[in-house]
Amino acid sequence: MPQPKDDTIAVRISKVLAERIIAGVLEPGARLRQDHIAAEFGASHVPVREAFRRLEAQGLAISEPRRGVRVAAFDLAEVKEVAEMRAALEVLALRHAAPHLTTAILDAAEQATYAGDKSPDVASWEAANRLFHRTLLAPCGMPRLLAAIDDLHAVSARFLFAAWRSAWEARTDHDHLAILAALRAGDVEEAATVLARHVRWIGQKPVRTASGQTRKVFTIVG
């Protein structure tokens, strides 16, 4: 059955807005004006409202009475919540994926983490990091679980970009290498333990806002 046209437009609008929010182009608290967005995409208000609902479901936007829809703010409590959710869901996915992990899959994940180590900026590091996690977890064969993890990675990316969009410090991800070593040795429990600790680690960094003020940004670097 063909997908309704409005749904197709709504998906496209939500993806573009999500990319802007995650990259920090749309900052926390910024109002998402329905009429402006409809005009930008040449769409009616119906798909725009559906796009907003999709963003709310991802935790990227919030609807407030009499204030409309705004880009969701985030604080330490939200970062911790995402970290705990990622730890629980990714460990679940890894346990189901482990019996299906081949040498080729582990090699691909290793190449992804090496690419991350060499990344010149936060965007390329985030892409490599997400590829590492996705490569290891995809063989679980649980599409709903993987979709939920993908949404959490999108929120994690937003935290990351807020902290590092103006500067980037190259790093070697020792946890990734430890996870791979445990999996190659057949020690799934050790790999799960390292993975859970890895995504629960929360860092903080002072950043300067557009108004010239400095604030602490908390982020999941894993």
Side-chain angles (χ1 to χ4, degrees):
M1 183 176 179
Q3 189 178 36
K5 183 179 179 182
D6 279 354
D7 283 358
T8 304
I9 297 171
V11 170
R12 181 165 63 89
I13 294 172
S14 66
K15 285 182 177 179
V16 172
L17 294 179
E19 289 171 359
R20 293 175 185 175
I21 292 169
I22 291 168
V25 176
L26 293 172
E27 295 191 344
R31 186 177 175 189
L32 298 176
R33 298 181 180 275
Q34 188 174 206
D35 52 347
H36 291 182
I37 293 170
E40 177 185 350
F41 288 90
S44 70
H45 286 189
V46 173
V48 175
R49 286 194 293 269
E50 175 58 28
F52 287 171
R53 285 192 286 270
R54 290 173 181 270
L55 293 174
E56 287 184 71
Q58 289 180 282
L60 297 176
I62 185 170
S63 178
E64 300 174 325
R66 296 180 297 280
R67 296 188 66 190
V69 179
R70 295 180 179 272
V71 175
F74 52 83
D75 55 20
L76 180 56
E78 183 178 355
V79 177
K80 285 182 176 178
E81 180 183 18
V82 172
E84 288 295 330
M85 290 177 68
R86 274 191 58 192
L89 296 185
E90 292 194 34
V91 165
L92 175 62
L94 181 64
R95 291 187 192 283
H96 283 273
H100 310 290
L101 293 175
T102 63
T103 299
I105 292 172
L106 295 177
D107 287 348
E110 187 171 18
Q111 289 304 310
T113 201
Y114 286 149
D117 292 345
K118 298 175 183 177
S119 293
D121 53 54
V122 65
S124 56
W125 182 89
E126 193 278 331
N129 180 66
R130 194 184 299 211
L131 178 59
F132 170 84
H133 287 261
R134 182 74 187 201
T135 300
L136 290 183
L137 304 182
C140 75
M142 304 170 75
R144 289 183 180 85
L145 176 59
L146 291 171
I149 291 170
D150 284 346
D151 283 347
L152 291 171
H153 270 275
V155 179
S156 289
R158 185 180 174 221
F159 302 151
L160 189 73
F161 290 168
W164 294 102
R165 66 184 172 215
S166 61
W168 177 244
E169 297 173 8
R171 65 197 63 207
T172 297
D173 203 318
H174 297 289
D175 281 348
H176 282 189
L177 298 178
I179 292 167
L180 288 170
L183 290 172
R184 290 187 192 281
D187 193 343
V188 178
E189 291 306 311
E190 174 64 12
T193 297
V194 177
L195 175 61
R197 183 190 70 215
H198 176 63
V199 299
R200 283 192 179 111
W201 189 86
I202 295 171
Q204 61 176 298
K205 184 176 182 290
V207 298
R208 188 171 294 277
T209 65
S211 61
Q213 297 178 323
T214 299
R215 64 184 175 91
K216 287 182 179 178
V217 173
F218 299 94
T219 184
I220 302 167
V221 189

